[in-house]
Amino acid sequence: KGENIKDSVAGIVHEEKVDLIVLSTHGREGFPSWFNSSISESIARHSLVPTLFIPHNSKPFVNAENGELIL
C-alpha cells in the first residue's frame, strides 16, 4: 500500500492494531551503517509499537507448523 515501506508498514500497524512488529535486520554497524540507512530501525522508531529485531540468517526458534518453540 504505497511506495514508501515505512509508511506502508505504519498504515498496516494502525489499521490492524498490531501489538508487536517482528523485523529481520542485517545488523550493520559502524562505517557501513553510515551509508545504508536501516529500514528496520526507521520502521521501529516511527511505529511506536514494540519491535523485535531478528538477525538476518538466524536459526528459527518457532516451528511454523505447530507454533512450538525450538530449543
Side-chain angles (χ1 to χ4, degrees):
K1 296 181 178 182
E3 297 177 18
N4 182 314
I5 187 71
K6 180 184 72 174
D7 293 340
S8 296
V9 171
I12 292 169
V13 166
H14 177 72
E15 290 172 12
E16 301 295 328
K17 296 181 175 65
V18 172
D19 294 326
L20 176 69
I21 299 172
V22 180
L23 297 170
S24 175
T25 181
H26 285 75
R28 293 182 184 101
E29 294 181 6
F31 191 71
S33 68
W34 298 349
F35 297 103
N36 297 311
S37 60
S38 169
I39 294 171
S40 297
E41 181 181 355
S42 180
I43 290 170
R45 288 186 186 276
H46 291 91
S47 68
L48 304 177
V49 172
T51 306
L52 174 64
F53 293 95
I54 304 293
H56 182 70
N57 292 331
S58 62
K59 292 173 53 176
F61 58 92
V62 177
N63 184 318
E65 293 179 18
N66 60 22
E68 291 181 1
L69 290 177
I70 301 171
L71 302 175

